[in-house]
Amino acid sequence: MSKLYGVSVGTGDPELITVKGLKCLQNANIIAFPEGIRGKQGIAQTIITPWLESHQTLLPLKFPYVQDETELTQAWETAAKTVLTYLQNGEDVTFACEGDISFYSTFTYLAQTVQKLDSNVVIETIPGVCSPMAAAAELGIPLTTRSQRLMILPTLYHLEELETALNTAEVVVLMKFSSLYPQIWELLDKKGLLASSQIVEKATMPDQVVYKDLRNMDQLKLSYFSIMIINHY
């Protein structure tokens, strides 16, 4: 049976792809990835473009940025059926995934749906760099040291979630938090944590921006692709 490869391609810098991941991409005939929005390349496609060859078939798959479970399930099934047309024809498919394949990855849902439709499909995943690690590297800090506890919040809808995290771990990483940034800033101000909180926007991408010491940064307009690392001891 043909194989579906999930290749982690890192957070933006094409050189952050592992040697194993790069070899898998270069050996692939069919390369799938999340389709970009409004006619633009998606992040994964942008990352892998320098490594692609003209003979390779590109397979953009549509994954809507919505919370509706019905719409998401339909999108995963449509994408899975598209991939299966190649797999069931004896061809391997390599899916390029931004960040790490196992870290809140679209590939997880694609692979699960593919195997639901055809349990004979073999899945192989190749790990890579995910955004919290990339952000820490760009800040020039260790993400954790010694026995520090780490908590990662992939989305933040209520400040109570952050309160719980700060009471549980010494290092807290926030993802997809930009819509709540003013409230987060106020909470960190009250707790005296602004000086030890840092943000990396679009980590390792060409337009990356770094914000260190947030004490005078209550009015930041941040993109969806922002990571905050909060240290408290």
Side-chain angles (χ1 to χ4, degrees), residues 1 12 14 34 44 47 52 69 73 107 122 138 141 159 171 179 196 198 200 207 217-219 221 229 233:
M1 184 64 186
I47 293 170
L52 299 180
E69 285 295 326
T73 299
F107 179 76
V122 178
E138 294 302 311
I141 62 172
L159 284 182
V171 181
S179 62
S196 59
Q198 305 179 77
V200 181
D207 51 349
M217 299 184 183
D218 57 320
Q219 299 297 320
K221 303 299 181 184
I229 300 178
Y233 309 97

Side-chain angles (χ1 to χ4, degrees), residues 4 30-33 57-63 74-89 91-93 95 110 113-114 117:
L4 173 60
I30 301 165
I31 300 177
F33 44 80
T57 298
L58 304 185
L59 189 63
L61 301 174
K62 187 175 182 61
F63 299 104
Q74 290 175 345
W76 297 331
E77 288 184 354
T78 299
K81 289 176 181 177
T82 300
V83 169
L84 275 171
T85 60
Y86 293 92
L87 294 171
Q88 293 175 339
N89 197 39
E91 300 178 272
D92 293 338
V93 176
F95 184 89
L110 174 64
T113 307
V114 165
L117 295 174

Side-chain angles (χ1 to χ4, degrees), residues 9 15 90 96 99 132 137-138 168 223:
V9 298
E15 294 186 350
E138 294 302 311
T168 305
S223 75

Side-chain angles (χ1 to χ4, degrees), residues 12-26:
D13 183 348
E15 294 186 350
L16 288 180
I17 302 176
T18 66
V19 173
K20 185 172 184 178
L22 181 57
K23 287 181 178 178
C24 188
L25 284 171
Q26 292 177 329

Side-chain angles (χ1 to χ4, degrees), residues 193-211:
L193 294 173
L194 290 172
S196 59
S197 299
Q198 305 179 77
I199 295 172
V200 181
E201 188 174 12
K202 300 182 179 180
T204 77
M205 299 182 194
D207 51 349
Q208 170 185 288
V209 182
V210 172
Y211 302 97

Side-chain angles (χ1 to χ4, degrees), residues 142-208:
L143 186 58
T144 55
T145 59
R146 298 177 70 85
S147 60
Q148 285 184 326
R149 291 163 296 180
L150 169 68
M151 183 172 287
I152 298 174
L153 300 182
T155 54
L156 187 64
Y157 297 113
H158 306 287
L159 284 182
E160 291 79 6
E161 298 169 358
L162 179 53
E163 289 266 18
T164 299
L166 292 172
N167 291 331
T168 305
E170 289 81 23
V171 181
V172 176
V173 174
L174 301 183
M175 304 170 63
K176 304 176 186 176
F177 65 90
S178 57
S179 62
L180 278 182
Y181 179 70
Q183 298 95 311
I184 293 169
W185 190 94
E186 290 182 4
L187 176 60
L188 296 178
D189 186 27
K190 291 176 182 177
K191 291 183 173 292
L193 294 173
L194 290 172
S196 59
S197 299
Q198 305 179 77
I199 295 172
V200 181
E201 188 174 12
K202 300 182 179 180
T204 77
M205 299 182 194
D207 51 349
Q208 170 185 288

